[in-house]
């Protein structure tokens, strides 16, 4: 187990698997999950010789849950602490859903320190969308409904949220396990990160300054963020490619698990 202290006294958990040498991918989970959403990748990528690092963001999984500090600046600084503590020098940064905003902020706030390639998976944070875009208002409104639901009945919210993420059928056992990931953190952290996502925006300059190979993976049947929004985000990042998963919703890592694994491995191996 690896624990990394921050400058404000929070202890962050970072799971590691795979060989110490060679290529590395740093996996960031989305709201309101934990590093366990990447269980498949943490097992299979090392078999391909790729090292995996998957932290729990503050407030989630095994990491400490402070009363505040869930904005993108703070989360990006937390990520820098992990990178420095583990001595990561060249790695692919792969971020799912809401964590895409943290990844983009890391790239600008810390001058893309150590990142050799950026992968945004189903990027859904309202902060990544243009403030005047209808999709930004829709995303913020969806978050507000989730916040109200979580305050009233978080187990039901987690189960319904899990159902919204996927396009294809998955076993009741898997769905129960997945929705349970959203229950592994305190309600205060779940609400804190959601509120922070509502209040922030990523500047266009942050996107245009990204200078590493970048890809955006998106599901053609995503009900959390439209495919058009994902394509628009890819178009705003110089040289970024948009990779469409035709049989997936938001949770393309499970809807097309084998293809996702192949595309992820291919992206990491293709980096300089």
């Amino acid at each position: 187990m690896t624990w990394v202290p921050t400058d404000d006294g929070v202890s962050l958990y970072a799971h590691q698997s795979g060989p110490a040498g060679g290529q590395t991918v740093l996996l960031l989970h989305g709201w309101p999950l934990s590093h366990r959403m990447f269980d498949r990748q943490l097992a299979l990528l090392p078999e391909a010789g790729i090292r995996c690092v998957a932290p729990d963001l503050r407030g989630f999984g095994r990491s400490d849950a402070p009363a505040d500090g869930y904005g993108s600046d703070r989360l990006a600084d937390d990520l820098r602490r992990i990178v420095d503590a583990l001595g990561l020098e060249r790695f692919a940064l792969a971020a799912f859903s809401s964590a895409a905003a943290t990844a983009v902020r890391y790239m600008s706030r810390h001058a893309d320190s150590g990142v050799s390639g950026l992968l945004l998976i189903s990027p859904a944070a309202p902060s990544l969308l243009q403030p005047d875009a209808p999709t930004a208002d829709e995303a913020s409104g969806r978050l507000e409904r989730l916040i109200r639901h979580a305050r009233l009945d978080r187990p039901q919210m987690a189960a319904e949220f899990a159902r919204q993420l996927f396009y294809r059928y998955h076993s009741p056992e898997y769905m129960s396990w997945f929705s349970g990931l959203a229950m592994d953190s305190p309600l205060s952290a779940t609400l804190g990160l959601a509120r922070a996502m509502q209040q922030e925006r990523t500047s266009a300059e942050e996107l245009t300054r990204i200078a590493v190979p970048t890809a955006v993976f998106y599901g053609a049947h995503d009900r959390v963020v439209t495919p058009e929004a994902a394509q628009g985000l890819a178009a705003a990042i110089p040289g970024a490619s948009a990779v469409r998963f035709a049989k997936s919703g938001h949770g393309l890592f499970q809807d097309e698990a084998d293809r996702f694994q192949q595309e992820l491995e291919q992206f990491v191996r293709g980096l300089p």
Side-chain angles (χ1 to χ4, degrees):
M1 294 184 181
T2 301
W3 301 90
V4 177
T6 69
D7 58 0
D8 63 343
V10 174
S11 184
L12 303 172
Y13 174 77
H15 176 95
Q16 298 186 74
S17 59
Q23 294 169 301
T24 298
V25 59
L26 198 163
L27 299 160
L28 294 183
H29 68 83
W31 178 93
L33 307 169
S34 73
H35 80 278
R36 293 291 307 279
M37 66 162 286
F38 293 115
D39 264 6
R40 181 180 173 90
Q41 287 68 49
L42 296 173
L44 299 185
L45 285 174
E47 293 180 0
I50 297 173
R51 178 190 180 192
C52 297
V53 177
D56 285 332
L57 301 180
R58 63 168 55 207
F60 297 88
R62 298 183 182 181
S63 292
D64 287 350
D68 52 22
Y70 295 98
S72 292
D73 286 350
R74 178 71 262 182
L75 295 179
D77 291 351
D78 286 352
L79 183 56
R80 179 60 186 269
R81 283 274 181 167
I82 292 169
V83 168
D84 290 345
L86 301 184
L88 304 181
E89 296 180 351
R90 299 292 294 171
F91 59 91
L93 179 56
F96 173 69
S97 194
S98 63
T102 299
V104 169
R105 184 59 51 85
Y106 178 87
M107 300 296 289
S108 63
R109 189 171 174 85
H110 295 287
D112 67 34
S113 181
V115 179
S116 58
L118 178 65
L119 175 58
L120 304 179
I121 306 161
S122 302
S127 60
L128 292 171
L129 305 172
Q130 294 299 319
D132 57 350
T135 46
D137 290 336
E138 291 171 7
S140 183
R142 184 180 299 110
L143 266 174
E144 183 60 38
R145 291 190 294 274
L146 288 169
I147 289 170
R148 290 199 301 265
H149 199 173
R151 289 169 63 96
L152 179 66
D153 188 341
R154 185 158 67 128
Q156 185 184 58
M157 182 281 291
E160 290 188 0
F161 180 69
R163 286 193 291 271
Q164 292 175 5
L165 256 60
F166 302 106
Y167 174 66
R168 306 178 76 177
Y169 170 83
H170 303 298
S171 71
E173 292 81 5
Y174 177 84
M175 296 301 293
S176 176
W177 172 81
F178 188 84
S179 63
L181 295 180
M183 300 299 297
D184 284 344
S185 58
L187 176 60
S188 58
T190 297
L191 299 177
L193 180 53
R195 290 294 189 200
M197 286 192 288
Q198 279 187 311
Q199 297 166 5
E200 296 187 358
R201 287 292 182 267
T202 299
S203 70
E205 183 182 3
E206 284 185 89
L207 299 175
T208 57
R209 287 171 56 192
I210 294 175
V212 299
T214 302
V216 176
F217 288 3
Y218 70 95
H221 304 279
D222 196 328
R223 291 182 289 174
V224 176
V225 61
T226 66
E228 291 77 18
Q231 293 167 349
L233 177 61
I237 300 173
S241 61
V243 181
R244 181 176 183 267
F245 286 72
K247 301 176 182 178
S248 290
H250 197 64
L252 48 83
F253 55 89
Q254 184 67 16
D255 278 338
E256 294 183 71
D258 289 340
R259 186 190 170 202
F260 175 77
Q261 190 71 22
Q262 293 165 2
E263 293 282 358
L264 174 57
E265 183 177 335
Q266 180 177 328
F267 178 80
V268 174
R269 291 203 179 284
L271 295 175

